[in-house]
Amino acid sequence: MTQRRVLRFPEGFLWGTASSSHQCEGGNTNNQWYRWEQQGRILSGEQCGAGANWWQAAEQDFERAEQMENNALRLSLEWSRVEPAEGRWESAAVDRYRAMLADLRRRGMKPLVTLHHFTEPLWFADRGGFAREANIRYFVRYVSYVVTALRDLCDFWLTINEPNVYAMEGYLLGAYPPGEQKLLRAFRVLRNLMQAHVEAFYAIRRIQPQAEIGYCPHYRLFDPANALSPLDCAVAGIHDTYFSWALLQAGESGRFTFPLNMMVAPLRGAAGARDYHGVNYYTRELVRFDPGAPAELFGRRFMQPGVMHNDVGLDNSFGEIYAEGLYRVLKAVYQRTRGNRPLYITENGFNDALDDRRPRAILEHLAAVHRALSDGIPVRGYFHWTLVDNFEWNNGWQARFGLIEIDPRTQERIPRRSASMFGEICRANAITEGIVERYAPEIAETIFGAEATTERGLTV
Ligand code: BGC
């Protein structure tokens, strides 16, 4: 009998999907992204509207996740529902979240709850949001309120999603609200978000000592267009450092990388203020030195020609599908933090409306995770972005990340092939040869070739 090949994941590995309130709930009209939409800033001109209708019926999608045998699910709370006006707490909103979390637990899915995923109440945004350090206390007060109200249902928290994307897109590139383009302000916002994370961490720790608490940067790789060109290497290194790694360094040591540390104050109490490292990973870009691009720090970014890639999106932001990058990021996070905490992949996904690349992409990325595990990197879970198509920020409905397709006009769901494949992987807690043969036979050798050719388990 020929031996079947398999990449088995550790027992207790978390399998789930990730999502956010504004993108899924629908009807959020009291946050700064709704105002952005009203100002006509969504590139497709579309409206979030009912989103994926989660405020009314998230449970129906939770059931779909349960059928895929997911044992975890990441979602976020909408601050603007919980505290619609400064100091006014909406207990009905908390009750709705209680129902969602209770439902997840009944279905055997561990909730990972994000406390800030790009949106905030208008009243907070209008006071200057995270550009003003004095506003951090409002965030910490909200966090304390919801953690107290939900602590019997959740003990796994993610304070702030992608502080680097929020700061850069909103304050440097001007592509997200509030649409500013000010370098110094962007770094101040980044710093304040990290300080807010630290303070939220200690607030949660006090309320719920056993909680697992972290945050998740967006790790994007920037490689030199020509690895032999010192200038390309230098500009790629600058992008890499300031977009991805400066944040992690600040989270670990409290100090930002030079010269950011000359522009922003160090963090207070950062060391030790996380129980895991969250990793959001999507893509990499190549960077070529260009003296004519001072606004891009003299580095022209582009996607390597001829590679498998995402549907690029209206803003061209979704590029190469590069699985090796996930391995590189996991390894770099592990090394830069000297293995001090476990890692969770809190987001990884693909914009692929036709679902003709996603099955292969998921398999390749999970094989990269398995390789990291084989190296002894303690990865504890994988949250795929995302369960059902949802409102993709500036791209509106024109970017499709869901395992399950949605028609936003009718709310009809059509599972993509990827959904059944993901279900099979979660059920098996493994990538089996049968799964690869069914969904992407062309990559069987690359998936199993380099590594485990026989049945093998991993414990981390
Ligand atoms: C964000 C998600 C977004 C995803 C795909 C991440 O940067 O956290 O909200 O939908 O990327 O663009």
Side-chain angles (χ1 to χ4, degrees), residues 115-146:
L115 296 157
H116 185 281
H117 194 127
F118 294 167
T119 55
E120 56 221 15
L122 283 173
W123 65 262
F124 178 81
D126 290 342
R127 282 175 191 215
F130 287 102
R132 291 193 58 223
E133 182 169 13
N135 289 342
I136 292 175
R137 68 195 159 102
Y138 295 117
F139 176 66
V140 178
R141 187 175 66 174
Y142 143 76
V143 168
S144 303
Y145 177 82
V146 288

Coordinates of all heavy atoms in Angstrom, one line a residue, residues 115-146:
L115 N -11.4 44.8 19.4 CA -12.0 46.0 20.0 C -12.0 47.3 19.2 O -12.8 48.2 19.4 CB -11.4 46.2 21.4 CG -11.6 45.0 22.3 CD1 -10.5 45.0 23.4 CD2 -13.0 45.1 22.9
H116 N -11.1 47.3 18.2 CA -11.1 48.4 17.3 C -10.6 47.9 15.9 O -9.5 47.4 15.8 CB -10.1 49.5 17.8 CG -10.1 50.7 16.9 ND1 -9.4 50.8 15.7 CD2 -10.7 51.9 17.1 CE1 -9.6 52.0 15.2 NE2 -10.4 52.7 16.0
H117 N -11.5 47.9 14.9 CA -11.1 47.5 13.6 C -11.5 48.6 12.6 O -12.5 48.6 12.0 CB -11.8 46.2 13.2 CG -11.3 45.5 12.0 ND1 -10.9 44.2 12.0 CD2 -11.0 46.0 10.8 CE1 -10.4 43.9 10.8 NE2 -10.5 45.0 10.0
F118 N -10.6 49.6 12.6 CA -10.7 50.8 11.7 C -11.8 51.8 12.0 O -11.7 53.0 11.6 CB -10.9 50.4 10.2 CG -9.7 49.7 9.6 CD1 -9.8 49.0 8.4 CD2 -8.4 49.6 10.3 CE1 -8.7 48.3 7.9 CE2 -7.3 49.0 9.7 CZ -7.5 48.3 8.5
T119 N -12.9 51.4 12.6 CA -14.0 52.3 12.8 C -14.1 52.8 14.2 O -13.7 52.1 15.2 CB -15.4 51.7 12.5 OG1 -15.6 50.5 13.2 CG2 -15.5 51.4 11.0
E120 N -14.6 54.0 14.4 CA -14.8 54.6 15.7 C -16.0 55.6 15.6 O -16.4 56.0 14.6 CB -13.6 55.3 16.2 CG -13.1 56.4 15.2 CD -11.6 56.4 15.0 OE1 -10.9 55.5 15.4 OE2 -11.1 57.5 14.5
P121 N -16.6 55.9 16.8 CA -17.8 56.7 16.8 C -17.5 58.1 16.2 O -16.3 58.6 16.4 CB -18.2 56.8 18.3 CG -17.4 55.9 19.0 CD -16.3 55.4 18.1
L122 N -18.4 58.8 15.6 CA -18.2 60.1 15.1 C -17.7 61.1 16.2 O -16.9 61.9 16.0 CB -19.5 60.6 14.4 CG -19.8 60.1 13.1 CD1 -21.2 60.5 12.6 CD2 -18.7 60.5 12.1
W123 N -18.3 61.0 17.4 CA -18.0 61.9 18.4 C -16.5 61.8 18.8 O -15.8 62.8 19.0 CB -18.8 61.7 19.7 CG -18.7 60.4 20.4 CD1 -19.5 59.3 20.3 CD2 -17.7 60.1 21.4 NE1 -19.1 58.3 21.1 CE2 -17.9 58.7 21.8 CE3 -16.6 60.7 21.9 CZ2 -17.1 58.0 22.7 CZ3 -15.8 60.0 22.8 CH2 -16.1 58.7 23.2
F124 N -16.0 60.6 18.7 CA -14.5 60.4 19.0 C -13.7 60.9 17.9 O -12.7 61.6 18.1 CB -14.3 58.9 19.2 CG -12.9 58.5 19.5 CD1 -12.3 58.7 20.8 CD2 -12.0 58.0 18.5 CE1 -11.0 58.4 21.1 CE2 -10.7 57.7 18.8 CZ -10.2 57.9 20.1
A125 N -14.1 60.6 16.6 CA -13.3 61.1 15.5 C -13.3 62.6 15.5 O -12.3 63.2 15.2 CB -14.0 60.6 14.2
D126 N -14.4 63.2 15.8 CA -14.5 64.7 15.8 C -13.7 65.3 16.9 O -13.5 66.5 16.9 CB -16.0 65.1 15.8 CG -16.7 64.8 14.5 OD1 -16.0 64.5 13.5 OD2 -17.9 64.7 14.5
R127 N -13.3 64.6 17.9 CA -12.4 65.2 18.9 C -11.0 65.0 18.6 O -10.1 65.1 19.4 CB -12.7 64.5 20.3 CG -13.9 65.0 20.9 CD -14.2 64.2 22.2 NE -15.5 64.6 22.6 CZ -15.9 64.8 23.8 NH1 -15.1 64.5 24.8 NH2 -17.1 65.1 24.0
G128 N -10.7 64.5 17.3 CA -9.4 64.3 16.9 C -8.9 62.9 16.9 O -7.8 62.5 16.6
G129 N -9.8 61.9 17.4 CA -9.5 60.5 17.3 C -8.1 60.2 18.0 O -7.8 60.8 19.0
F130 N -7.4 59.3 17.4 CA -6.1 58.9 17.9 C -5.0 59.9 17.6 O -3.8 59.6 18.0 CB -5.8 57.5 17.5 CG -6.6 56.5 18.2 CD1 -7.7 55.9 17.5 CD2 -6.4 56.1 19.5 CE1 -8.5 54.9 18.2 CE2 -7.1 55.2 20.2 CZ -8.2 54.6 19.5
A131 N -5.3 61.0 16.9 CA -4.2 62.0 16.7 C -3.9 62.7 18.0 O -2.9 63.3 18.1 CB -4.7 62.9 15.6
R132 N -4.9 62.6 19.0 CA -4.7 63.3 20.2 C -4.5 62.3 21.4 O -5.3 61.5 21.6 CB -5.9 64.2 20.6 CG -6.0 65.4 19.6 CD -7.0 66.4 20.2 NE -6.7 66.8 21.5 CZ -7.5 67.0 22.6 NH1 -8.8 66.6 22.4 NH2 -7.1 67.4 23.7
E133 N -3.3 62.4 22.0 CA -3.0 61.4 23.0 C -4.1 61.4 24.1 O -4.4 60.4 24.7 CB -1.6 61.7 23.6 CG -1.3 60.7 24.6 CD 0.2 60.7 25.1 OE1 0.9 61.7 24.8 OE2 0.6 59.7 25.8
A134 N -4.6 62.6 24.4 CA -5.6 62.7 25.5 C -6.8 61.9 25.3 O -7.6 61.6 26.2 CB -5.9 64.2 25.7
N135 N -7.1 61.5 24.0 CA -8.3 60.8 23.7 C -8.2 59.3 24.0 O -9.2 58.6 23.9 CB -8.6 60.9 22.2 CG -9.2 62.3 21.9 OD1 -9.5 63.0 22.8 ND2 -9.1 62.7 20.6
I136 N -7.0 58.8 24.3 CA -6.8 57.4 24.5 C -7.7 56.9 25.7 O -8.2 55.8 25.7 CB -5.3 57.1 24.8 CG1 -4.4 57.3 23.6 CG2 -5.1 55.7 25.4 CD1 -2.9 57.2 23.8
R137 N -7.9 57.8 26.6 CA -8.7 57.4 27.8 C -10.1 57.0 27.4 O -10.7 56.2 28.0 CB -8.7 58.5 28.8 CG -9.4 59.7 28.4 CD -9.1 60.9 29.3 NE -9.4 62.1 28.7 CZ -10.5 62.9 28.9 NH1 -11.4 62.5 29.8 NH2 -10.7 64.0 28.2
Y138 N -10.6 57.6 26.3 CA -12.0 57.2 25.9 C -12.0 55.8 25.4 O -12.9 55.0 25.6 CB -12.5 58.2 24.8 CG -12.7 59.6 25.2 CD1 -11.9 60.6 24.6 CD2 -13.6 59.9 26.1 CE1 -12.1 61.9 25.0 CE2 -13.8 61.3 26.5 CZ -13.0 62.2 25.9 OH -13.2 63.5 26.3
F139 N -11.0 55.5 24.7 CA -10.9 54.1 24.1 C -10.8 53.1 25.3 O -11.5 52.1 25.3 CB -9.7 54.0 23.2 CG -9.5 52.6 22.7 CD1 -10.4 52.0 21.8 CD2 -8.3 51.8 23.0 CE1 -10.2 50.7 21.4 CE2 -8.2 50.5 22.6 CZ -9.1 49.9 21.7
V140 N -9.9 53.4 26.3 CA -9.7 52.5 27.4 C -11.0 52.4 28.2 O -11.4 51.3 28.7 CB -8.5 53.0 28.2 CG1 -8.3 52.1 29.4 CG2 -7.3 53.0 27.4
R141 N -11.7 53.5 28.3 CA -13.0 53.4 29.1 C -14.0 52.5 28.3 O -14.7 51.6 29.0 CB -13.6 54.8 29.2 CG -14.8 54.9 30.1 CD -15.2 56.3 30.3 NE -15.7 56.9 29.0 CZ -16.3 58.1 28.9 NH1 -16.4 58.9 30.0 NH2 -16.7 58.5 27.7
Y142 N -14.1 52.6 27.0 CA -15.0 51.7 26.2 C -14.5 50.3 26.4 O -15.3 49.4 26.6 CB -15.0 52.2 24.8 CG -15.1 51.2 23.7 CD1 -16.2 50.5 23.5 CD2 -13.9 50.8 23.0 CE1 -16.3 49.5 22.5 CE2 -14.0 49.9 22.0 CZ -15.1 49.2 21.7 OH -15.2 48.2 20.8
V143 N -13.2 50.1 26.3 CA -12.7 48.7 26.4 C -13.1 48.1 27.7 O -13.6 47.0 27.8 CB -11.2 48.7 26.2 CG1 -10.6 47.3 26.6 CG2 -10.9 49.0 24.7
S144 N -12.9 48.9 28.8 CA -13.2 48.4 30.1 C -14.7 48.0 30.2 O -15.1 47.0 30.8 CB -12.9 49.4 31.2 OG -11.5 49.8 31.1
Y145 N -15.5 48.9 29.6 CA -17.0 48.6 29.7 C -17.3 47.3 29.0 O -18.0 46.5 29.6 CB -17.7 49.8 29.0 CG -19.2 49.7 29.0 CD1 -20.0 50.0 30.1 CD2 -19.8 49.2 27.8 CE1 -21.4 49.8 30.0 CE2 -21.2 49.1 27.7 CZ -21.9 49.4 28.9 OH -23.3 49.2 28.8
V146 N -16.9 47.1 27.8 CA -17.3 45.9 27.0 C -16.7 44.7 27.6 O -17.3 43.6 27.7 CB -17.1 46.0 25.5 CG1 -18.0 47.0 24.9 CG2 -15.6 46.4 25.2

